[in-house]
């Protein structure tokens, strides 16, 4: 909205005073050099937001803890999308504790990049697609 | 037969009275839509007007399309329409406005070098208000590519010579920017190689530094415990991959954090510089 007003005022006003121009230019440059806001971790992973029971609440918390303190320091990238941690949370949420944990262990055992021919490639992220399924 | 004739008469009379929306009416509609919350309809209508009106409403449509695309965060398309406006503008004043708007769009995309090229295409004998604007934008673009000496040359004349305090503050901020830009990702990586987390501390990221040092300490304790409880060969086989994962990750991230933090701080410094430059001249 700010930018629209700025450009409208740039382009539609005919004769502007030098000082007025300067203020608008400064507003434009402030916008261009504004700090890039980083979204909160919980907001990045919408799956952690909706927790109808305590179990899901605990798993969402564990997931966020892992993402904050371990994943940020990790040197490796998961071969799949969704990543193993996201897959684990989604599996527990969708399939329940037992099936979810079994699926997660299955996924962890497959996360080695040795059999890319078995999966579709996510062209955007350049990783293998492996959604939660039973 | 009578029915067909009746139908034909009804059709012909309806067609006679119905008329399509004219270009002027579409333009009015687009202007109205541009003031509403959802501007996507305004965008489509302006495009339609631009297509059908020929040269009549060309400049207004192009400027409005640039504004609407900028509002949607599509700065590349906004810059494209500014460029078209620059090509078609009848007056120098409108042409320069279009060029400065395009420069602003390029800056919003962090394309500082392209912005410099655009600004250098302006004629040398610009009238006064435009000269100041050119200096301001050039200074910002030079600051964006970390050419602080050039940014100083461009921006300093925008602060009045009598404003000694403002000039001193400007110099202090420029020195701060130079100091921030000297932080090197290589040094951060080396520090993290020597002591996990040190590179992150050097970059000014305390949280990640503490995180890295704790995680590596945890891995080291795990390694020693496994070695003592079993053998160090077994410890190396089981724990070492984890150590390298987080130790190596810490080294790599330290370099990335320096770049991110450097950019963040330079942006903050530039905001302060703009405040100095934006203060009215005495």
């Amino acid at each position: 909205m700010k930018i629209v007003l700025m450009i409208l005022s740039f382009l539609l006003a005919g004769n502007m005073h030098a000082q007025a121009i300067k203020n608008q230019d400064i507003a434009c440059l402030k916008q261009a050099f504004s700090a890039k806001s980083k979204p909160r971790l919980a907001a990045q992973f919408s799956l952690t937001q909706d927790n109808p029971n305590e179990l899901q609440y605990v798993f969402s918390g564990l997931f966020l803890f892992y993402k904050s303190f371990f994943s940020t320091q990790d040197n490796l990238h998961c071969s799949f999308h969704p990543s193993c941690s996201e897959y684990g949370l989604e599996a527990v949420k969708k399939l329940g504790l037992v099936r979810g944990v079994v699926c997660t262990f299955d996924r962890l055992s497959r996360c080695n990049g040795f059999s890319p021919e078995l999966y579709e490639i996510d062209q955007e992220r350049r990783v293998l697609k492996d959604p939660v399924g039973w | 037969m009578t029915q067909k004739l009746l139908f034909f008469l009804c059709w012909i009379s309806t067609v006679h009275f119905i008329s399509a929306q004219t270009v002027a009416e579409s333009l009015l509609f687009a202007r109205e839509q541009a003031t509403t919350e959802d501007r996507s309809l305004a965008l489509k209508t302006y495009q339609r007007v631009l297509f059908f009106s020929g040269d009549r409403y060309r400049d207004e449509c192009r400027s409005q399309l640039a504004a609407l695309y900028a509002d949607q965060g599509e700065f590349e398309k906004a810059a494209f329409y500014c460029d078209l406006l620059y090509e078609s503008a009848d007056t120098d004043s409108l042409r320069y406005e279009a060029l400065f708007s395009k420069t602003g769009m390029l800056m919003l995309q962090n394309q500082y070098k392209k912005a410099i090229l655009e600004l250098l295409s302006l004629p040398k004998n610009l009238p006064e208000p435009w000269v100041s604007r050119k200096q301001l934008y050039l200074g910002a673009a030079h600051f964006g590519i970390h050419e602080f000496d050039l940014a100083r040359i461009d921006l300093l004349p925008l602060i009045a010579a009598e404003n000694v305090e403002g000039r001193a503050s400007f110099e202090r901020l420029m020195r701060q920017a130079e100091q921030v830009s000297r932080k090197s990702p290589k040094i951060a990586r080396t520090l993290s190689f020597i002591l996990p987390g040190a590179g992150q501390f050097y970059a000014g990221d305390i949280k990640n530094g503490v995180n890295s040092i704790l995680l590596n300490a945890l891995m080291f304790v795990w390694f020693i415990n496994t070695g003592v409880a079993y053998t160090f060969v077994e410890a190396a086989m089981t724990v070492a991959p984890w150590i390298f994962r987080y130790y190596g990750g810490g080294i790599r991230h330290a370099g990335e954090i320096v770049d991110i933090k450097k950019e963040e701080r330079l942006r903050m410094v530039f905001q302060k510089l703009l405040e100095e430059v934006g203060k009215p001249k005495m």
Side-chain angles (χ1 to χ4, degrees):
Chain A
M1 186 62 194
K2 275 182 192 168
I3 297 171
V4 168
L5 290 173
M6 182 188 78
I7 297 177
L8 283 179
S9 53
F10 271 174
L11 299 173
L12 298 179
N15 300 311
M16 285 185 289
H17 190 263
Q19 189 58 46
I21 291 167
K22 208 172 155 187
N23 289 338
Q24 285 154 350
D25 290 332
I26 282 168
C28 169
L29 291 173
K30 272 195 174 175
Q31 172 90 14
F33 281 84
S34 61
K36 287 170 190 163
S37 58
K38 204 175 154 188
R40 284 181 64 240
L41 203 60
Q44 281 180 49
F45 300 101
S46 54
L47 209 64
T48 57
Q49 308 262 333
D50 188 26
N51 300 303
N53 57 50
E54 288 78 6
L55 181 78
Q56 291 198 10
Y57 202 79
V58 168
F59 269 85
S60 294
L62 285 172
F63 170 82
L64 289 175
F65 178 77
Y66 170 78
K67 278 283 178 195
S68 307
F69 295 100
F70 288 84
S71 198
T72 51
Q73 307 298 321
D74 206 340
N75 197 17
L76 300 177
H77 288 287
C78 184
S79 332
F80 292 112
H81 177 75
S83 70
C84 292
S85 54
E86 288 165 54
Y87 182 97
L89 179 64
E90 202 179 333
V92 169
K93 284 198 159 194
K94 278 188 178 169
L95 308 171
L97 182 64
V98 178
R99 281 165 72 190
V101 168
V102 170
C103 280
T104 307
F105 272 98
D106 169 61
R107 160 61 97 82
L108 288 169
S109 68
R110 290 183 285 114
C111 185
N112 46 41
F114 290 150
S115 312
E117 70 281 1
L118 298 175
Y119 304 92
E120 255 186 84
I121 296 172
D122 186 329
Q123 295 294 344
E124 195 185 323
R125 298 180 179 87
R126 308 300 299 164
V127 287
L128 304 170
K129 280 186 196 172
D130 183 37
V132 174
W134 178 251
Chain B
M1 184 64 191
T2 324
Q3 268 186 339
K4 276 185 183 170
L5 192 66
L6 202 63
F7 177 77
F8 180 73
L9 283 172
C10 283
W11 180 76
I12 207 87
S13 59
T14 317
V15 165
H16 180 74
F17 289 113
I18 290 174
S19 60
Q21 198 177 30
T22 63
V23 172
E25 283 166 343
S26 294
L27 185 67
L28 280 175
F29 179 69
R31 281 178 191 158
E32 194 183 303
Q33 288 302 311
T35 58
T36 60
E37 277 294 307
D38 181 19
R39 296 187 183 85
S40 54
L41 194 57
L43 209 142
K44 283 179 192 166
T45 316
Y46 272 120
Q47 275 171 335
R48 202 163 56 237
V49 174
L50 182 64
F51 184 78
F52 286 109
S53 69
D55 292 349
R56 202 168 161 202
Y57 304 114
R58 186 188 55 198
D59 289 352
E60 185 189 338
C61 288
R62 285 178 175 175
S63 66
Q64 290 289 348
L65 282 167
L68 290 164
Y69 274 121
D71 182 51
Q72 293 190 347
E74 294 187 55
F75 303 122
E76 204 178 332
K77 284 184 182 170
F80 170 74
Y81 279 102
C82 289
D83 216 19
L84 289 181
L85 184 62
Y86 179 82
E87 296 292 326
S88 65
D90 299 325
T91 60
D92 280 350
S93 136
L94 188 58
R95 198 171 297 131
Y96 298 153
E97 289 292 354
L99 191 132
F100 283 114
S101 294
K102 186 185 175 187
T103 309
M105 293 302 115
L106 290 171
M107 297 244 193
L108 284 160
Q109 297 172 77
N110 298 336
Q111 295 184 346
Y112 304 112
K113 285 185 180 172
K114 278 189 182 176
I116 292 171
L117 279 178
E118 290 293 333
L119 292 164
L120 292 178
S121 72
L122 282 165
K124 284 182 181 169
N125 55 344
L126 275 174
E128 178 37 41
W130 305 107
V131 173
S132 301
R133 291 181 73 182
K134 183 183 171 183
Q135 274 180 297
L136 179 66
Y137 276 95
L138 262 180
H142 282 134
F143 192 94
I145 57 168
H146 303 177
E147 290 281 358
F148 300 113
D149 288 337
L150 291 173
R152 184 182 275 114
I153 293 167
D154 294 321
L155 295 173
L156 192 59
L158 298 175
I159 302 172
E162 308 84 61
N163 186 0
V164 182
E165 202 182 308
R167 285 194 160 217
S169 173
F170 175 87
E171 285 296 342
R172 187 176 46 79
L173 287 166
M174 287 306 284
R175 276 197 300 275
Q176 199 181 331
E178 281 164 350
Q179 208 177 344
V180 170
S181 75
R182 274 200 285 270
K183 292 237 172 188
S184 157
K186 269 186 191 172
I187 294 176
R189 280 194 289 265
T190 313
L191 285 171
S192 276
F193 178 77
I194 297 163
L195 176 72
Q200 281 85 339
F201 287 124
Y202 165 78
D205 192 341
I206 308 296
K207 181 195 156 255
N208 264 313
V210 172
N211 193 352
S212 179
I213 211 162
L214 282 179
L215 200 58
N216 279 287
L218 187 77
M219 293 295 151
F220 185 69
V221 169
W222 185 20
F223 179 79
I224 298 292
N225 275 348
T226 313
V228 171
Y230 302 96
T231 63
F232 278 96
V233 176
E234 282 169 299
M237 284 170 70
T238 52
V239 188
W242 291 95
I243 292 179
F244 284 117
R245 216 172 136 163
Y246 292 111
Y247 175 68
I251 294 170
R252 189 166 64 87
H253 290 304
E256 289 167 5
I257 289 167
V258 166
D259 285 332
I260 294 166
K261 287 276 171 191
K262 202 159 80 172
E263 201 54 40
E264 260 175 34
R265 283 192 195 143
L266 284 174
R267 278 169 184 265
M268 274 168 61
V269 170
F270 192 73
Q271 295 281 342
K272 287 179 190 165
L273 274 176
L274 277 177
E275 276 168 26
E276 286 301 329
V277 172
K279 279 178 189 167
K281 287 188 180 181
M282 299 293 180

